[in-house]
Amino acid sequence: MDSDLVQLLRFRRRPPQTESRTHLTTCSLCLRVLRGSEWMEAERVIREIRSYELATLPSLRSAVCDFCAESIFSRRAHAGEPIAA
């Protein structure tokens, strides 16, 4: 590879931020991310926290968002439908 190109790429790369480890809670069904009290699309959260610039990757905690939980409970409430494990 051309050394000038390598130097250019090194120059343009931003240094990673030095922040404490970020913890994100994600819905294991729809993959939304909990931010404060709101479940947001993952792409939006990635852009907002700029996780691609962090020195360490965020740790993920799994959960089920309110929408998915309500969907599961409403399906289980129907008497005629079989329940999946």
Side-chain angles (χ1 to χ4, degrees):
M1 185 177 237
D2 187 25
S3 63
D4 293 334
L5 179 59
V6 172
Q7 292 300 330
L8 178 64
L9 292 174
R10 285 184 184 156
F11 178 73
R12 295 186 73 187
R13 186 174 23 160
R14 293 180 186 165
Q17 296 176 357
T18 55
E19 294 181 9
S20 61
R21 187 154 177 91
T22 304
H23 302 284
L24 299 175
T25 303
T26 61
C27 178
S28 57
L29 300 173
C30 69
L31 304 180
R32 289 188 207 126
V33 178
L34 181 63
R35 293 277 308 209
S37 62
E38 182 182 357
W39 289 94
M40 302 177 164
E41 295 299 320
E43 294 84 5
R44 178 177 169 192
V45 175
I46 290 168
R47 280 192 307 271
E48 288 179 1
I49 68 170
R50 301 173 71 102
S51 61
Y52 45 86
E53 292 182 354
L54 297 176
T56 58
L57 294 174
S59 65
L60 301 178
R61 300 176 185 161
S62 63
V64 177
C65 73
D66 301 331
F67 178 78
C68 291
E70 182 60 36
S71 176
I72 291 168
F73 293 138
S74 67
R75 280 185 275 153
R76 288 186 175 180
H78 291 62
E81 294 183 22
I83 297 176

